[in-house]
Amino acid sequence: MVAHAVRLVPGAEPSATVKVGEDGADLELALKLALRYPAPVRATAADVRRRVTEEVERITGYRVRSVAVTVSALRAETRPRVV
């Protein structure tokens, strides 16, 4: 579910490591993900937080208390090579 939400954010790589902490009906999420260079890091991380919060709350009914985003890498977009 979180990986799906991350895929919806332009500039974010589709794979992410997720840790979930639960306190009753509240969730605390920690994501570790890569961004595509030259995506603006701060804005893209904020978009990931917003999208993950919206999707998790919509699908599960749990309240997301926090989403910590760690950007582990910046990856250049690859272009097909012409031989």
Side-chain angles (χ1 to χ4, degrees), residues 3-80:
H4 166 72
V6 170
R7 276 194 286 281
L8 298 174
V9 177
E13 288 286 319
S15 62
T17 303
V18 181
K19 291 185 180 181
V20 179
E22 182 182 356
D23 181 19
D26 291 345
L27 297 177
E28 293 179 353
L29 306 173
L31 309 175
K32 186 175 181 181
L33 57 94
L35 301 181
R36 285 182 222 114
Y37 181 81
V41 175
R42 186 176 294 171
T44 305
D47 288 346
V48 167
R49 270 189 217 93
R50 180 186 52 77
R51 182 63 81 146
V52 166
T53 298
E54 289 171 356
E55 290 295 304
V56 169
E57 288 181 346
R58 182 181 66 81
I59 293 169
T60 67
Y62 282 90
R63 185 175 85 92
V64 176
R65 188 181 332 175
S66 66
V67 179
V69 176
T70 300
V71 176
S72 60
L74 294 174
R75 297 200 176 117
E77 291 193 39
T78 58
R79 295 187 177 113

